[in-house]
């Protein structure tokens, strides 16, 4: 595993209690970037995400971590980190001849953990503090 992938995963794990902007419309039903495909609750491991060809990352919308510029491009620390993660993950999978998409789903800060537990996302990428309540779960 490359150092960048390891550093990205470690950084994501440290920022999480348990990973495009709002999904673009897609023509095919099974398209990993389709809005309908993104909202179906699902839980599973990395192998399942690779099979689905999608990693859904719940992110808070703010000017430091994640935002859209005037042209609609994704910007911020999390956008850059998840782009690097997607590139490295796909480089690791190049012999499988598939592409996994990392889809950033802006979510209000108070919905991050409940939406993760409900299967609406696969990862959380945010600057969360470990509280006594969060430490219990």
């Amino acid at each position: 595993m490359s150092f960048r992938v390891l550093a990205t995963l470690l950084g994501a794990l440290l920022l999480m209690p348990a990973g495009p902007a709002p999904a673009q419309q897609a023509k095919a039903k099974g398209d990993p970037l389709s809005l309908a495909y993104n909202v179906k609750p699902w839980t599973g491991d990395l192998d399942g995400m690779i099979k689905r060809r999608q990693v859904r990352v719940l992110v808070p919308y703010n000017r430091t971590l994640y935002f859209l510029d005037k042209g609609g491009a994704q910007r911020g620390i999390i956008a850059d980190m998840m782009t690097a993660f997607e590139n490295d993950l796909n480089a690791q999978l190049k012999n499988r001849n598939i592409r996994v998409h990392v889809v950033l789903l802006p979510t209000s800060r108070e919905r991050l953990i409940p939406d993760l537990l409900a299967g609406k996302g696969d990862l959380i990428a945010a600057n969360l503090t470990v509280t006594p309540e969060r430490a219990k779960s």
Side-chain angles (χ1 to χ4, degrees):
M1 185 177 283
S2 75
F3 177 74
R4 275 187 14 187
V5 171
L6 186 58
T8 301
L9 287 173
L10 182 58
L13 288 174
L14 291 174
L15 294 174
M16 293 177 241
Q24 303 167 353
Q25 285 190 347
K27 295 175 186 169
K29 287 183 181 178
D31 187 332
L33 297 178
S34 165
L35 181 58
Y37 192 80
N38 288 326
V39 296
K40 289 190 281 187
W42 181 87
T43 58
D45 59 6
L46 182 60
D47 290 335
M49 293 175 218
I50 291 169
K51 184 178 178 183
R52 294 176 75 230
R53 298 178 37 221
Q54 177 186 79
V55 178
R56 301 167 303 163
V57 182
L58 302 172
V59 299
Y61 189 88
N62 68 46
R63 286 293 263 176
T64 303
L65 299 177
Y66 177 81
F67 65 97
L68 300 176
D69 68 10
K70 291 183 182 182
Q74 299 177 93
R75 301 279 187 230
I77 296 168
I78 292 174
D80 295 341
M81 184 174 75
M82 290 298 123
T83 299
F85 173 69
E86 179 179 333
N87 293 337
D88 287 343
L89 179 61
N90 284 304
Q92 298 272 333
L93 299 172
K94 67 182 176 186
N95 58 349
R96 294 191 191 182
N97 201 23
I98 61 171
R99 178 145 182 90
V100 177
H101 301 277
V102 174
V103 181
L104 302 179
L105 301 172
T107 306
S108 66
R109 190 166 285 282
E110 56 273 354
R111 294 294 319 157
L112 289 171
I113 295 172
D115 285 357
L116 176 70
L117 297 174
K120 295 179 181 179
D122 303 313
L123 300 173
I124 295 174
N127 56 345
L128 296 175
T129 305
V130 178
T131 62
E133 181 180 293
R134 290 179 186 157
K136 291 177 184 176
S137 42

